[in-house]
Amino acid sequence: MNNGARVSLPVIKRLPKYYRYLKNLRASGVTSISSRELAAHLGTTASQVRQDFNCFGDVNGRQGIGYSVDTLLAMLESLLFGDGDLIPAIQIGAGRLGKAVSRFISRDTNGYRLTAVFDANPSEVGTCIGDTDIKILNIDTLVDFCKEHKPRVAVLCVPRESAQQLTETLVGLGIEGFWNFSHYDMSVDYPHVVVENVHLGDSLMSLGYRLRNEDR
Amino acid sequence: MNNGARVSLPVIKRLPKYYRYLKNLRASGVTSISSRELAAHLGTTASQVRQDFNCFGDVNGRQGIGYSVDTLLAMLESLLFGDGDLIPAIQIGAGRLGKAVSRFISRDTNGYRLTAVFDANPSEVGTCIGDTDIKILNIDTLVDFCKEHKPRVAVLCVPRESAQQLTETLVGLGIEGFWNFSHYDMSVDYPHVVVENVHLGDSLMSLGYRLRNEDR
């Protein structure tokens, strides 16, 4: 659908924002929207919006009417969720953060299916994660599980010290994508792996920089 | 220290990564590093590294020796944490995600001091957040608390529906910065407020896009 061309990361990062905003619009009964209106709600420019959609080919707004909300949503759903197939994912680490983020895959699927959660802590193993019926498994069973069930994505909620070794193991087992909460920047060692880093401390430090150093 | 010039957001976002990496280097006894080595570990280019540091003026690498790790760290610490003063912060929402992220301000300070947490749920109010001794207060007391204690940052761990109204209240009470986990994009309505959005669902959708649409 994207004509085989590589779409830049900033465009990819805007797709979920378009998707969320348009879903809200559709829910309130809006059927069409101009690039100018979309831009105003996303904090960007109309020209940027048109360029973004042009990356994906065959969506055109109509002069004086704008884009069809349904058409845009159908395009975005196909780009973000394919034909509705859920990507099998595992999670490593069931501490406080792990418990909190697992629901973004288990309750809201966001296009994924959480197949197992692993932890080394004996007091967690055997319990269920969050309010799901997905059992937390012993980390010792990780390799066998991956060989049998072939998950494609791993959610890493482990300390930096464990993350590097774990990543090597997981890449070797065929994991293609990481949702990475650890402070190990795996994309340096594994450039072909797809990584979304969520570095919460970094995010706070950036906020602090702007509060301390910028005049507003 | 930054010569008054506005530093671009991508540079600001790299500062915590430099900081974390250089701290690890210093801990392993490394005293100097070239822009080339730094770039390799951060997945960027030597020229980018030099440009980044040039934004902040007076740090120069020495030909054949590189940058002093101590000098860079002193600069980064000053930029990210000022003179060590902690920014007073409050958090709204003490659900599962709220409990998990509060430790990034309470245990690791990251330059902040968590002064209070608010929730509307009676079963949470009166308990302590995480393993701290910070009590969860009734959301009804938010306005009075802010008037008295003048926090500068608010962490929003609330649903989208509550976030918009809450943001209006908080901006009116003098909150300058938001660490925003809600799906309300406040920077559109409040362009002068400093916002770090952590949209976990968006991050998963971007990852899904790349796994579904990109050849690697």
Side-chain angles (χ1 to χ4, degrees), chain A residues 71-207:
Chain A
T71 306
L72 284 183
L73 273 172
M75 178 190 77
L76 289 164
E77 276 166 2
S78 162
L79 289 168
L80 295 171
F81 309 121
D83 53 9
D85 57 312
L86 300 174
I87 299 175
I90 56 170
Q91 177 175 321
I92 329 284
R96 197 170 281 158
L97 185 64
K99 286 193 180 73
V101 302
S102 67
R103 83 165 175 82
F104 287 86
I105 293 191
S106 61
R107 207 182 63 179
D108 314 328
T109 75
N110 284 301
Y112 300 80
R113 180 167 47 86
L114 185 59
T115 59
V117 178
F118 297 88
D119 202 288
N121 184 343
S123 70
E124 298 290 353
V125 171
T127 67
C128 289
I129 187 108
D131 38 17
T132 72
D133 53 6
I134 300 165
K135 278 242 168 63
I136 299 170
L137 307 177
N138 191 307
I139 188 74
D140 293 344
T141 65
L142 175 68
V143 172
D144 287 343
F145 182 93
C146 290
K147 283 182 180 162
E148 187 178 342
H149 296 281
K150 307 199 186 320
R152 293 181 63 198
V153 163
V155 181
L156 283 199
C157 296
V158 296
R160 189 182 195 289
E161 306 78 73
S162 332
Q164 187 160 3
Q165 170 71 60
L166 206 47
T167 302
E168 189 183 338
T169 305
L170 290 166
V171 170
L173 287 162
I175 293 288
E176 303 162 58
F178 287 87
W179 199 31
N180 178 33
F181 288 83
S182 86
H183 270 167
Y184 164 57
D185 293 317
M186 59 192 62
S187 50
V188 174
D189 295 325
Y190 303 97
H192 297 295
V193 155
V194 180
V195 185
E196 272 287 322
N197 289 309
V198 185
H199 289 164
L200 294 171
D202 286 13
S203 165
L204 275 172
M205 285 188 243
S206 299
L207 181 66

Side-chain angles (χ1 to χ4, degrees), chain A residues 20 112 179 202-204 213, chain B residues 20 79 111-112 179 202-204:
Chain A
R20 281 193 283 114
Y112 300 80
W179 199 31
D202 286 13
S203 165
L204 275 172
N213 298 278
Chain B
R20 283 193 284 113
L79 289 168
Y112 300 81
W179 200 31
D202 286 13
S203 163
L204 275 171

Side-chain angles (χ1 to χ4, degrees), chain B residues 3-76:
Chain B
N3 308 327
R6 179 64 64 106
V7 174
S8 79
L9 207 51
V11 179
I12 296 173
K13 298 266 183 194
R14 280 193 291 273
L15 296 179
K17 296 186 205 308
Y18 288 123
Y19 172 70
R20 283 193 284 113
Y21 183 65
L22 289 163
K23 264 218 328 196
N24 285 336
L25 277 190
R26 179 163 67 187
S28 7
V30 177
T31 56
S32 64
I33 186 163
S34 70
S35 50
R36 198 176 43 78
E37 289 168 299
L38 253 177
H41 284 279
L42 273 103
T44 177
T45 64
S47 148
Q48 181 73 76
V49 168
R50 287 191 298 267
Q51 274 179 46
D52 285 356
F53 293 150
N54 279 342
C55 293
F56 306 103
D58 45 3
V59 179
N60 289 300
R62 284 171 59 197
Q63 191 73 36
I65 295 176
Y67 292 101
S68 149
V69 169
D70 277 341
T71 306
L72 285 183
L73 273 172
M75 177 190 77
L76 289 164

Side-chain angles (χ1 to χ4, degrees), chain A residues 13 15-24 41-42 81 103-104 107-110 179, chain B residues 97 155-167 179-189 195-206:
Chain A
K13 299 265 183 194
L15 297 179
K17 296 186 205 307
Y18 288 124
Y19 172 71
R20 281 193 283 114
Y21 182 65
L22 289 163
K23 263 215 333 192
N24 285 335
H41 284 279
L42 275 103
F81 309 121
R103 83 165 175 82
F104 287 86
R107 207 182 63 179
D108 314 328
T109 75
N110 284 301
W179 199 31
Chain B
L97 186 64
V155 181
L156 284 198
C157 296
V158 296
R160 189 183 194 289
E161 307 78 74
S162 332
Q164 187 160 1
Q165 170 70 58
L166 207 46
T167 302
W179 200 31
N180 178 33
F181 288 83
S182 86
H183 270 168
Y184 165 57
D185 292 318
M186 58 193 61
S187 50
V188 175
D189 295 326
V195 185
E196 272 286 322
N197 289 309
V198 186
H199 289 164
L200 294 171
D202 286 13
S203 163
L204 275 171
M205 286 189 240
S206 299

Side-chain angles (χ1 to χ4, degrees), chain B residues 87-102:
Chain B
I87 299 175
I90 57 170
Q91 178 175 321
I92 330 284
R96 197 169 282 156
L97 186 64
K99 286 192 180 73
V101 303
S102 68

